[in-house]
Amino acid sequence: MAASVTLLAVATAACGGGGGSGGSPVSAPEGSGGSASSVPSASAPVDSAGDGASGAPPSSTASVQSAPSAGRSGGGQAAVASSRCTADQLGLSLSAPDVGAGNIRYDLRLVNNGAGACVLRGFPGVSLLAGDGALIGKPATREGERLPAVTLAPGGTADVTLHTLNRGIKGSSCWAAPSLLRIYPPGSKDAMTLRTSAPVVCGDTFTVTAVRSG
C-alpha cells in the first residue's frame, strides 16, 4: 500500500509537471501569434502614423518607395531638359524697325508650333546670310544679361531684340542687305532661317538680347 501510494504521488507529480510544461509551449505560440499578426498590422497604412515601434517598418517601406520617387524626379528633370525648344518646333517673325536716337531695333519673335510646352533660356545665335548662303559680316554679339527661362505653351511666344545703328552714327559703312536671317535657338545646334532683307547693319554694330517672354 505504501509503495502504491508513493508511486501514485510520483505519477501525480509527473502529470502536474507535464501539464505545467505543456502550458508554457501553448502560451508561447499565442504570444508568437500575437507578435506575428502585429507585423502585418504595423506595415498596414493605418499604422504608418503610429509610434516608433509600429512606424519603423512603414518608414523603411517609405524609404524604399522614395528611391523610385527620386527616379521619377530625375526623369522629370530629364524631361524638362529634353523639353528645350528646338528649331523644328519653332516659327519666326521679325517686327518693323523701331528707330530712335540713331539706333535701330527689331523684335525677333519665336513661336512654339509644337504640340507640347518647351523652354527657352539664354541667347540665340543670329547671323545674316546672302542669297547663296554666304555669311554677311559677323554673327550678332550678346547685349544685356541672361534672363530667366521662358516656358512656351503651344502657341506661346518669346522675343529677342536685334540692334544696329543708323548709317553715319558710327562710320559710314554698312553691310550688304541680307536675304536670310539665320537663328540658332538657345542651346541648339540646328538653325532656322527667315527670308528677310533686314536688318541692314551699319557701324559694325549687330547685337542680340537674351530670350524674354513675348
Side-chain angles (χ1 to χ4, degrees), residues 165-180:
L165 302 176
N166 274 333
R167 183 188 295 270
I169 296 297
K170 183 181 175 183
S172 59
S173 65
C174 295
W175 300 354
S179 294
L180 296 168

Side-chain angles (χ1 to χ4, degrees), residues 6 9 69 82 107 123 163 211:
T6 301
S69 178
S82 66
D107 283 338
F123 296 81
H163 173 222
V211 174

Side-chain angles (χ1 to χ4, degrees), residues 9-150:
V10 171
T12 303
C15 288
S21 189
S24 288
V26 169
S27 63
E30 285 175 359
S32 243
S35 177
S37 68
S38 71
V39 173
S41 180
S43 63
V46 69
D47 289 335
S48 63
D51 60 20
S54 64
S59 191
S60 174
T61 303
S63 178
V64 172
Q65 290 173 350
S66 71
S69 178
R72 286 194 295 271
S73 176
Q77 290 171 0
V80 169
S82 66
S83 71
R84 172 177 49 79
C85 299
T86 56
D88 62 354
Q89 71 186 112
L90 292 172
L92 291 172
S93 63
L94 190 67
S95 73
D98 179 11
V99 182
N103 296 284
I104 305 176
R105 291 181 170 86
Y106 298 81
D107 283 338
L108 178 63
R109 173 154 290 186
L110 299 92
V111 57
N112 178 11
N113 290 330
C118 64
V119 177
L120 286 171
R121 185 182 183 191
F123 296 81
V126 182
S127 53
L128 305 176
L129 303 179
D132 60 0
L135 180 66
I136 298 174
K138 297 174 291 186
T141 57
R142 296 177 177 183
E143 178 182 332
E145 62 182 355
R146 183 182 173 97
L147 301 175
V150 177

